[in-house]
Amino acid sequence: GARGELFLVSDGLPTTRLEIIEAARKASEFADSAMPTFQLAEPPAGDAAVPSRSGKIYNLSRVHEVLQWRPRYASFASFMAAQR
């Protein structure tokens, strides 16, 4: 059971910082917000710089198994789109 356990939940979809900002700016509350500037990750030798995907990816299988929990929205982007 879940007694005494702590669960971290998310929609389970990897999302870059840029994708989070782009999704948020589609909601009327943030539509006029300025786009922040992001630094590019250090590229491996010989590769072009790419936007950073640093962060965490969560395995939600235990949450689904124990709590029978599913996110209300399939992704952060779909949540923000519903805020229009």
Side-chain angles (χ1 to χ4, degrees), residues 8-41:
L8 175 65
V9 298
S10 73
D11 59 30
L13 298 176
T15 306
T16 65
R17 291 178 182 108
L18 178 60
E19 290 165 338
I20 291 169
I21 299 300
E22 288 173 340
R25 291 181 73 210
K26 290 179 182 173
S28 59
E29 184 176 347
F30 301 105
D32 295 329
S33 298
M35 177 62 84
T37 302
F38 294 95
Q39 295 181 348
L40 297 178

Side-chain angles (χ1 to χ4, degrees), residues 44-76:
D47 288 345
V50 295
S52 175
R53 260 210 194 268
S54 64
K56 309 278 189 260
I57 298 175
Y58 306 107
N59 179 339
L60 301 177
S61 59
R62 180 88 175 133
V63 172
H64 298 313
E65 174 189 330
V66 174
L67 302 179
Q68 300 296 305
W69 180 86
R70 299 281 188 268
R72 180 176 295 158
Y73 296 93
S75 67
F76 180 74

